[in-house]
Amino acid sequence: MSTAPRFLAHSSSYNINLPNAALPPQNDEKPPEIINFKLDAQGQIFWNDQPIANKQALESLFMTVAKKSEQQTTA
C-alpha cells in the first residue's frame, strides 16, 4: 500500500502577485552601426580592422559617424 505524502493530502491555495509582462513599445529605429575600434601594442589604430594612417583620418571617421547619428535623430 502506498500513501501520498502528508503535504499533498491537504489542499491549500496561495496568492502570488506576479508582475505583468508588458511588451516594450515597437521601435522602427535600426540599431546603431557597430564600429570595431582597436589600438594595438605598437600604438597602431584600427577602425573595423582597417589601419588608420594618421590623426586626421581618424578625426574624419569620427565626424562621419557623428553626422550619421545626427541625421538619424532628426529624421
Side-chain angles (χ1 to χ4, degrees):
M1 180 174 154
S2 70
T3 59
R6 206 169 187 40
F7 62 89
L8 291 179
H10 302 288
S11 65
S12 299
S13 66
Y14 297 96
N15 290 328
I16 300 174
N17 293 323
L18 298 175
N20 291 330
L23 296 175
Q26 290 293 331
N27 188 349
D28 292 336
E29 293 179 20
K30 68 177 189 174
E33 175 186 358
I34 296 175
I35 299 167
N36 183 7
F37 184 80
K38 181 172 70 172
L39 177 66
D40 69 9
Q42 290 74 34
Q44 177 66 48
I45 299 172
F46 295 85
W47 184 281
N48 290 336
D49 298 322
Q50 299 298 315
I52 303 302
N54 54 42
K55 181 180 174 183
Q56 289 77 21
L58 180 60
E59 288 176 354
S60 176
L61 288 167
F62 279 126
M63 293 301 292
T64 302
V65 170
K67 286 179 184 176
K68 284 182 185 178
S69 177
E70 287 175 5
Q71 290 172 354
Q72 288 177 352
T73 57
T74 58

